[in-house]
PDB file of all heavy atoms in Angstrom:
ATOM      1  N   GLN A 140      48.017   8.176 -66.732  1.00  0.00           N
ATOM      2  CA  GLN A 140      47.101   7.439 -67.605  1.00  0.00           C
ATOM      3  C   GLN A 140      46.723   8.286 -68.821  1.00  0.00           C
ATOM      4  O   GLN A 140      46.678   7.791 -69.948  1.00  0.00           O
ATOM      5  CB  GLN A 140      45.834   7.060 -66.847  1.00  0.00           C
ATOM      6  CG  GLN A 140      45.993   5.928 -65.850  1.00  0.00           C
ATOM      7  CD  GLN A 140      44.689   5.650 -65.127  1.00  0.00           C
ATOM      8  OE1 GLN A 140      43.869   6.550 -64.903  1.00  0.00           O
ATOM      9  NE2 GLN A 140      44.487   4.402 -64.732  1.00  0.00           N
ATOM     10  N   LEU A 141      46.454   9.551 -68.555  1.00  0.00           N
ATOM     11  CA  LEU A 141      46.056  10.458 -69.633  1.00  0.00           C
ATOM     12  C   LEU A 141      47.177  10.614 -70.647  1.00  0.00           C
ATOM     13  O   LEU A 141      46.947  10.584 -71.863  1.00  0.00           O
ATOM     14  CB  LEU A 141      45.670  11.817 -69.041  1.00  0.00           C
ATOM     15  CG  LEU A 141      45.006  12.827 -69.976  1.00  0.00           C
ATOM     16  CD1 LEU A 141      43.695  12.267 -70.521  1.00  0.00           C
ATOM     17  CD2 LEU A 141      44.753  14.145 -69.233  1.00  0.00           C
ATOM     18  N   LEU A 142      48.415  10.765 -70.159  1.00  0.00           N
ATOM     19  CA  LEU A 142      49.563  10.910 -71.058  1.00  0.00           C
ATOM     20  C   LEU A 142      49.784   9.626 -71.859  1.00  0.00           C
ATOM     21  O   LEU A 142      50.008   9.674 -73.080  1.00  0.00           O
ATOM     22  CB  LEU A 142      50.811  11.245 -70.244  1.00  0.00           C
ATOM     23  CG  LEU A 142      52.124  11.348 -71.031  1.00  0.00           C
ATOM     24  CD1 LEU A 142      52.032  12.465 -72.068  1.00  0.00           C
ATOM     25  CD2 LEU A 142      53.302  11.595 -70.082  1.00  0.00           C
ATOM     26  N   PHE A 143      49.718   8.490 -71.188  1.00  0.00           N
ATOM     27  CA  PHE A 143      49.916   7.213 -71.868  1.00  0.00           C
ATOM     28  C   PHE A 143      48.823   6.992 -72.916  1.00  0.00           C
ATOM     29  O   PHE A 143      49.090   6.493 -74.016  1.00  0.00           O
ATOM     30  CB  PHE A 143      49.901   6.073 -70.841  1.00  0.00           C
ATOM     31  CG  PHE A 143      50.215   4.730 -71.425  1.00  0.00           C
ATOM     32  CD1 PHE A 143      51.517   4.350 -71.684  1.00  0.00           C
ATOM     33  CD2 PHE A 143      49.193   3.826 -71.715  1.00  0.00           C
ATOM     34  CE1 PHE A 143      51.813   3.109 -72.224  1.00  0.00           C
ATOM     35  CE2 PHE A 143      49.463   2.587 -72.261  1.00  0.00           C
ATOM     36  CZ  PHE A 143      50.788   2.220 -72.514  1.00  0.00           C
ATOM     37  N   SER A 144      47.597   7.369 -72.577  1.00  0.00           N
ATOM     38  CA  SER A 144      46.483   7.233 -73.504  1.00  0.00           C
ATOM     39  C   SER A 144      46.687   8.105 -74.737  1.00  0.00           C
ATOM     40  O   SER A 144      46.397   7.693 -75.873  1.00  0.00           O
ATOM     41  CB  SER A 144      45.179   7.608 -72.798  1.00  0.00           C
ATOM     42  OG  SER A 144      44.072   7.426 -73.631  1.00  0.00           O
ATOM     43  N   TRP A 145      47.186   9.318 -74.526  1.00  0.00           N
ATOM     44  CA  TRP A 145      47.453  10.224 -75.651  1.00  0.00           C
ATOM     45  C   TRP A 145      48.566   9.683 -76.532  1.00  0.00           C
ATOM     46  O   TRP A 145      48.474   9.723 -77.769  1.00  0.00           O
ATOM     47  CB  TRP A 145      47.806  11.609 -75.130  1.00  0.00           C
ATOM     48  CG  TRP A 145      48.198  12.573 -76.207  1.00  0.00           C
ATOM     49  CD1 TRP A 145      47.380  13.175 -77.121  1.00  0.00           C
ATOM     50  CD2 TRP A 145      49.529  13.020 -76.512  1.00  0.00           C
ATOM     51  NE1 TRP A 145      48.107  13.985 -77.969  1.00  0.00           N
ATOM     52  CE2 TRP A 145      49.433  13.915 -77.615  1.00  0.00           C
ATOM     53  CE3 TRP A 145      50.778  12.769 -75.956  1.00  0.00           C
ATOM     54  CZ2 TRP A 145      50.544  14.530 -78.167  1.00  0.00           C
ATOM     55  CZ3 TRP A 145      51.893  13.388 -76.506  1.00  0.00           C
ATOM     56  CH2 TRP A 145      51.767  14.256 -77.601  1.00  0.00           C
ATOM     57  N   VAL A 146      49.633   9.150 -75.917  1.00  0.00           N
ATOM     58  CA  VAL A 146      50.749   8.588 -76.691  1.00  0.00           C
ATOM     59  C   VAL A 146      50.284   7.374 -77.497  1.00  0.00           C
ATOM     60  O   VAL A 146      50.680   7.192 -78.653  1.00  0.00           O
ATOM     61  CB  VAL A 146      51.910   8.192 -75.748  1.00  0.00           C
ATOM     62  CG1 VAL A 146      52.977   7.393 -76.501  1.00  0.00           C
ATOM     63  CG2 VAL A 146      52.531   9.433 -75.119  1.00  0.00           C
ATOM     64  N   LEU A 147      49.436   6.554 -76.886  1.00  0.00           N
ATOM     65  CA  LEU A 147      49.011   5.308 -77.527  1.00  0.00           C
ATOM     66  C   LEU A 147      47.912   5.517 -78.569  1.00  0.00           C
ATOM     67  O   LEU A 147      47.925   4.889 -79.636  1.00  0.00           O
ATOM     68  CB  LEU A 147      48.525   4.330 -76.455  1.00  0.00           C
ATOM     69  CG  LEU A 147      48.330   2.876 -76.863  1.00  0.00           C
ATOM     70  CD1 LEU A 147      49.671   2.256 -77.262  1.00  0.00           C
ATOM     71  CD2 LEU A 147      47.711   2.084 -75.717  1.00  0.00           C
ATOM     72  N   LEU A 148      46.970   6.418 -78.256  1.00  0.00           N
ATOM     73  CA  LEU A 148      45.778   6.552 -79.102  1.00  0.00           C
ATOM     74  C   LEU A 148      45.591   7.938 -79.700  1.00  0.00           C
ATOM     75  O   LEU A 148      44.637   8.149 -80.457  1.00  0.00           O
ATOM     76  CB  LEU A 148      44.527   6.189 -78.291  1.00  0.00           C
ATOM     77  CG  LEU A 148      44.487   4.776 -77.707  1.00  0.00           C
ATOM     78  CD1 LEU A 148      43.296   4.636 -76.768  1.00  0.00           C
ATOM     79  CD2 LEU A 148      44.422   3.737 -78.809  1.00  0.00           C
ATOM     80  N   GLY A 149      46.445   8.882 -79.351  1.00  0.00           N
ATOM     81  CA  GLY A 149      46.288  10.236 -79.859  1.00  0.00           C
ATOM     82  C   GLY A 149      45.103  10.938 -79.208  1.00  0.00           C
ATOM     83  O   GLY A 149      44.788  10.698 -78.033  1.00  0.00           O
ATOM     84  N   SER A 150      44.422  11.756 -79.962  1.00  0.00           N
ATOM     85  CA  SER A 150      43.306  12.532 -79.420  1.00  0.00           C
ATOM     86  C   SER A 150      42.163  11.633 -78.954  1.00  0.00           C
ATOM     87  O   SER A 150      41.402  11.997 -78.049  1.00  0.00           O
ATOM     88  CB  SER A 150      42.794  13.530 -80.455  1.00  0.00           C
ATOM     89  OG  SER A 150      42.346  12.852 -81.625  1.00  0.00           O
ATOM     90  N   ASN A 151      42.036  10.453 -79.560  1.00  0.00           N
ATOM     91  CA  ASN A 151      40.989   9.522 -79.129  1.00  0.00           C
ATOM     92  C   ASN A 151      41.198   9.095 -77.675  1.00  0.00           C
ATOM     93  O   ASN A 151      40.230   8.885 -76.937  1.00  0.00           O
ATOM     94  CB  ASN A 151      40.970   8.279 -80.028  1.00  0.00           C
ATOM     95  CG  ASN A 151      40.341   8.554 -81.371  1.00  0.00           C
ATOM     96  OD1 ASN A 151      39.559   9.494 -81.526  1.00  0.00           O
ATOM     97  ND2 ASN A 151      40.682   7.749 -82.370  1.00  0.00           N
ATOM     98  N   GLY A 152      42.458   8.953 -77.290  1.00  0.00           N
ATOM     99  CA  GLY A 152      42.755   8.582 -75.916  1.00  0.00           C
ATOM    100  C   GLY A 152      42.352   9.664 -74.931  1.00  0.00           C
ATOM    101  O   GLY A 152      41.839   9.367 -73.846  1.00  0.00           O
ATOM    102  N   VAL A 153      42.573  10.914 -75.311  1.00  0.00           N
ATOM    103  CA  VAL A 153      42.168  12.039 -74.456  1.00  0.00           C
ATOM    104  C   VAL A 153      40.649  12.116 -74.389  1.00  0.00           C
ATOM    105  O   VAL A 153      40.069  12.349 -73.317  1.00  0.00           O
ATOM    106  CB  VAL A 153      42.754  13.363 -74.994  1.00  0.00           C
ATOM    107  CG1 VAL A 153      42.278  14.537 -74.151  1.00  0.00           C
ATOM    108  CG2 VAL A 153      44.275  13.298 -75.006  1.00  0.00           C
ATOM    109  N   ASP A 154      40.006  11.912 -75.531  1.00  0.00           N
ATOM    110  CA  ASP A 154      38.534  11.913 -75.552  1.00  0.00           C
ATOM    111  C   ASP A 154      37.967  10.844 -74.622  1.00  0.00           C
ATOM    112  O   ASP A 154      36.964  11.068 -73.937  1.00  0.00           O
ATOM    113  CB  ASP A 154      38.025  11.669 -76.982  1.00  0.00           C
ATOM    114  CG  ASP A 154      38.271  12.854 -77.895  1.00  0.00           C
ATOM    115  OD1 ASP A 154      38.486  13.969 -77.377  1.00  0.00           O
ATOM    116  OD2 ASP A 154      38.262  12.671 -79.132  1.00  0.00           O
ATOM    117  N   LEU A 155      38.624   9.694 -74.604  1.00  0.00           N
ATOM    118  CA  LEU A 155      38.143   8.591 -73.790  1.00  0.00           C
ATOM    119  C   LEU A 155      38.256   8.886 -72.303  1.00  0.00           C
ATOM    120  O   LEU A 155      37.277   8.746 -71.553  1.00  0.00           O
ATOM    121  CB  LEU A 155      38.940   7.318 -74.126  1.00  0.00           C
ATOM    122  CG  LEU A 155      38.670   6.098 -73.241  1.00  0.00           C
ATOM    123  CD1 LEU A 155      37.249   5.590 -73.459  1.00  0.00           C
ATOM    124  CD2 LEU A 155      39.695   4.998 -73.520  1.00  0.00           C
ATOM    125  N   LEU A 156      39.422   9.307 -71.848  1.00  0.00           N
ATOM    126  CA  LEU A 156      39.657   9.468 -70.412  1.00  0.00           C
ATOM    127  C   LEU A 156      39.200  10.803 -69.857  1.00  0.00           C
ATOM    128  O   LEU A 156      38.737  10.871 -68.715  1.00  0.00           O
ATOM    129  CB  LEU A 156      41.152   9.271 -70.097  1.00  0.00           C
ATOM    130  CG  LEU A 156      41.721   7.864 -70.299  1.00  0.00           C
ATOM    131  CD1 LEU A 156      43.148   7.799 -69.796  1.00  0.00           C
ATOM    132  CD2 LEU A 156      40.867   6.816 -69.596  1.00  0.00           C
ATOM    133  N   LEU A 157      39.322  11.862 -70.644  1.00  0.00           N
ATOM    134  CA  LEU A 157      39.011  13.185 -70.117  1.00  0.00           C
ATOM    135  C   LEU A 157      37.622  13.662 -70.487  1.00  0.00           C
ATOM    136  O   LEU A 157      36.966  14.355 -69.694  1.00  0.00           O
ATOM    137  CB  LEU A 157      40.051  14.197 -70.622  1.00  0.00           C
ATOM    138  CG  LEU A 157      40.089  15.547 -69.909  1.00  0.00           C
ATOM    139  CD1 LEU A 157      40.374  15.378 -68.422  1.00  0.00           C
ATOM    140  CD2 LEU A 157      41.141  16.448 -70.541  1.00  0.00           C
ATOM    141  N   PHE A 158      37.150  13.270 -71.684  1.00  0.00           N
ATOM    142  CA  PHE A 158      35.837  13.735 -72.143  1.00  0.00           C
ATOM    143  C   PHE A 158      34.777  12.640 -72.117  1.00  0.00           C
ATOM    144  O   PHE A 158      33.644  12.867 -72.525  1.00  0.00           O
ATOM    145  CB  PHE A 158      35.957  14.322 -73.553  1.00  0.00           C
ATOM    146  CG  PHE A 158      36.742  15.600 -73.604  1.00  0.00           C
ATOM    147  CD1 PHE A 158      38.097  15.573 -73.894  1.00  0.00           C
ATOM    148  CD2 PHE A 158      36.140  16.823 -73.336  1.00  0.00           C
ATOM    149  CE1 PHE A 158      38.837  16.748 -73.935  1.00  0.00           C
ATOM    150  CE2 PHE A 158      36.875  17.997 -73.384  1.00  0.00           C
ATOM    151  CZ  PHE A 158      38.233  17.966 -73.670  1.00  0.00           C
ATOM    152  N   GLN A 159      35.177  11.446 -71.642  1.00  0.00           N
ATOM    153  CA  GLN A 159      34.247  10.332 -71.468  1.00  0.00           C
ATOM    154  C   GLN A 159      33.517   9.965 -72.756  1.00  0.00           C
ATOM    155  O   GLN A 159      32.339   9.595 -72.738  1.00  0.00           O
ATOM    156  CB  GLN A 159      33.229  10.651 -70.367  1.00  0.00           C
ATOM    157  CG  GLN A 159      33.858  10.883 -69.001  1.00  0.00           C
ATOM    158  CD  GLN A 159      32.836  11.231 -67.938  1.00  0.00           C
ATOM    159  OE1 GLN A 159      32.109  12.213 -68.062  1.00  0.00           O
ATOM    160  NE2 GLN A 159      32.765  10.413 -66.898  1.00  0.00           N
ATOM    161  N   LYS A 160      34.219  10.063 -73.885  1.00  0.00           N
ATOM    162  CA  LYS A 160      33.637   9.692 -75.166  1.00  0.00           C
ATOM    163  C   LYS A 160      33.955   8.232 -75.465  1.00  0.00           C
ATOM    164  O   LYS A 160      35.103   7.796 -75.337  1.00  0.00           O
ATOM    165  CB  LYS A 160      34.184  10.583 -76.289  1.00  0.00           C
ATOM    166  CG  LYS A 160      33.715  12.024 -76.214  1.00  0.00           C
ATOM    167  CD  LYS A 160      34.230  12.824 -77.401  1.00  0.00           C
ATOM    168  CE  LYS A 160      33.728  14.267 -77.362  1.00  0.00           C
ATOM    169  NZ  LYS A 160      34.240  15.052 -78.522  1.00  0.00           N
ATOM    170  N   LEU A 161      32.950   7.479 -75.865  1.00  0.00           N
ATOM    171  CA  LEU A 161      33.153   6.077 -76.204  1.00  0.00           C
ATOM    172  C   LEU A 161      33.903   5.965 -77.522  1.00  0.00           C
ATOM    173  O   LEU A 161      33.584   6.645 -78.504  1.00  0.00           O
ATOM    174  CB  LEU A 161      31.815   5.363 -76.304  1.00  0.00           C
ATOM    175  CG  LEU A 161      30.994   5.273 -75.014  1.00  0.00           C
ATOM    176  CD1 LEU A 161      29.670   4.571 -75.286  1.00  0.00           C
ATOM    177  CD2 LEU A 161      31.773   4.553 -73.923  1.00  0.00           C
ATOM    178  N   ILE A 162      34.927   5.137 -77.540  1.00  0.00           N
ATOM    179  CA  ILE A 162      35.683   4.882 -78.765  1.00  0.00           C
ATOM    180  C   ILE A 162      35.819   3.374 -78.937  1.00  0.00           C
ATOM    181  O   ILE A 162      35.595   2.600 -77.997  1.00  0.00           O
ATOM    182  CB  ILE A 162      37.088   5.539 -78.730  1.00  0.00           C
ATOM    183  CG1 ILE A 162      37.944   4.902 -77.621  1.00  0.00           C
ATOM    184  CG2 ILE A 162      36.987   7.039 -78.538  1.00  0.00           C
ATOM    185  CD1 ILE A 162      39.393   5.355 -77.657  1.00  0.00           C
ATOM    186  N   ASP A 163      36.192   2.980 -80.115  1.00  0.00           N
ATOM    187  CA  ASP A 163      36.391   1.551 -80.394  1.00  0.00           C
ATOM    188  C   ASP A 163      37.751   1.146 -79.837  1.00  0.00           C
ATOM    189  O   ASP A 163      38.792   1.504 -80.402  1.00  0.00           O
ATOM    190  CB  ASP A 163      36.319   1.306 -81.900  1.00  0.00           C
ATOM    191  CG  ASP A 163      36.390  -0.184 -82.236  1.00  0.00           C
ATOM    192  OD1 ASP A 163      36.217  -0.998 -81.307  1.00  0.00           O
ATOM    193  OD2 ASP A 163      36.638  -0.510 -83.403  1.00  0.00           O
ATOM    194  N   ILE A 164      37.737   0.396 -78.744  1.00  0.00           N
ATOM    195  CA  ILE A 164      38.987   0.029 -78.086  1.00  0.00           C
ATOM    196  C   ILE A 164      38.842  -1.360 -77.477  1.00  0.00           C
ATOM    197  O   ILE A 164      37.781  -1.727 -76.969  1.00  0.00           O
ATOM    198  CB  ILE A 164      39.342   1.069 -76.983  1.00  0.00           C
ATOM    199  CG1 ILE A 164      40.704   0.783 -76.373  1.00  0.00           C
ATOM    200  CG2 ILE A 164      38.266   1.152 -75.932  1.00  0.00           C
ATOM    201  CD1 ILE A 164      41.179   1.882 -75.425  1.00  0.00           C
ATOM    202  N   SER A 165      39.892  -2.142 -77.564  1.00  0.00           N
ATOM    203  CA  SER A 165      39.848  -3.505 -77.043  1.00  0.00           C
ATOM    204  C   SER A 165      40.041  -3.499 -75.523  1.00  0.00           C
ATOM    205  O   SER A 165      40.582  -2.551 -74.943  1.00  0.00           O
ATOM    206  CB  SER A 165      40.939  -4.356 -77.691  1.00  0.00           C
ATOM    207  OG  SER A 165      42.232  -3.908 -77.291  1.00  0.00           O
ATOM    208  N   ALA A 166      39.608  -4.581 -74.890  1.00  0.00           N
ATOM    209  CA  ALA A 166      39.787  -4.719 -73.443  1.00  0.00           C
ATOM    210  C   ALA A 166      41.272  -4.753 -73.094  1.00  0.00           C
ATOM    211  O   ALA A 166      41.682  -4.233 -72.046  1.00  0.00           O
ATOM    212  CB  ALA A 166      39.095  -5.992 -72.948  1.00  0.00           C
ATOM    213  N   HIS A 167      42.087  -5.341 -73.992  1.00  0.00           N
ATOM    214  CA  HIS A 167      43.536  -5.388 -73.750  1.00  0.00           C
ATOM    215  C   HIS A 167      44.131  -3.989 -73.699  1.00  0.00           C
ATOM    216  O   HIS A 167      44.884  -3.649 -72.779  1.00  0.00           O
ATOM    217  CB  HIS A 167      44.209  -6.208 -74.851  1.00  0.00           C
ATOM    218  CG  HIS A 167      45.702  -6.084 -74.873  1.00  0.00           C
ATOM    219  ND1 HIS A 167      46.515  -6.588 -73.862  1.00  0.00           N
ATOM    220  CD2 HIS A 167      46.539  -5.485 -75.763  1.00  0.00           C
ATOM    221  CE1 HIS A 167      47.780  -6.317 -74.146  1.00  0.00           C
ATOM    222  NE2 HIS A 167      47.816  -5.651 -75.286  1.00  0.00           N
ATOM    223  N   THR A 168      43.782  -3.156 -74.674  1.00  0.00           N
ATOM    224  CA  THR A 168      44.315  -1.787 -74.705  1.00  0.00           C
ATOM    225  C   THR A 168      43.815  -0.981 -73.513  1.00  0.00           C
ATOM    226  O   THR A 168      44.580  -0.224 -72.907  1.00  0.00           O
ATOM    227  CB  THR A 168      43.904  -1.087 -76.010  1.00  0.00           C
ATOM    228  OG1 THR A 168      44.359  -1.855 -77.123  1.00  0.00           O
ATOM    229  CG2 THR A 168      44.509   0.306 -76.092  1.00  0.00           C
ATOM    230  N   LEU A 169      42.555  -1.153 -73.184  1.00  0.00           N
ATOM    231  CA  LEU A 169      42.001  -0.429 -72.038  1.00  0.00           C
ATOM    232  C   LEU A 169      42.687  -0.877 -70.748  1.00  0.00           C
ATOM    233  O   LEU A 169      42.957  -0.049 -69.864  1.00  0.00           O
ATOM    234  CB  LEU A 169      40.490  -0.686 -71.960  1.00  0.00           C
ATOM    235  CG  LEU A 169      39.659   0.288 -71.122  1.00  0.00           C
ATOM    236  CD1 LEU A 169      39.862   1.720 -71.600  1.00  0.00           C
ATOM    237  CD2 LEU A 169      38.190  -0.078 -71.177  1.00  0.00           C
ATOM    238  N   GLY A 170      42.979  -2.160 -70.636  1.00  0.00           N
ATOM    239  CA  GLY A 170      43.696  -2.658 -69.469  1.00  0.00           C
ATOM    240  C   GLY A 170      45.089  -2.050 -69.363  1.00  0.00           C
ATOM    241  O   GLY A 170      45.555  -1.714 -68.266  1.00  0.00           O
TER     242      GLY A 170
END
Side-chain angles (χ1 to χ4, degrees):
Q140 286 179 329
L141 190 61
L142 176 61
F143 185 80
S144 183
W145 176 73
V146 170
L147 193 64
L148 301 172
S150 60
N151 284 337
V153 177
D154 289 341
L155 173 67
L156 293 187
L157 195 59
F158 292 94
Q159 299 178 301
K160 291 183 178 180
L161 296 178
I162 65 172
D163 185 14
I164 185 172
S165 67
H167 168 68
T168 303
L169 198 56

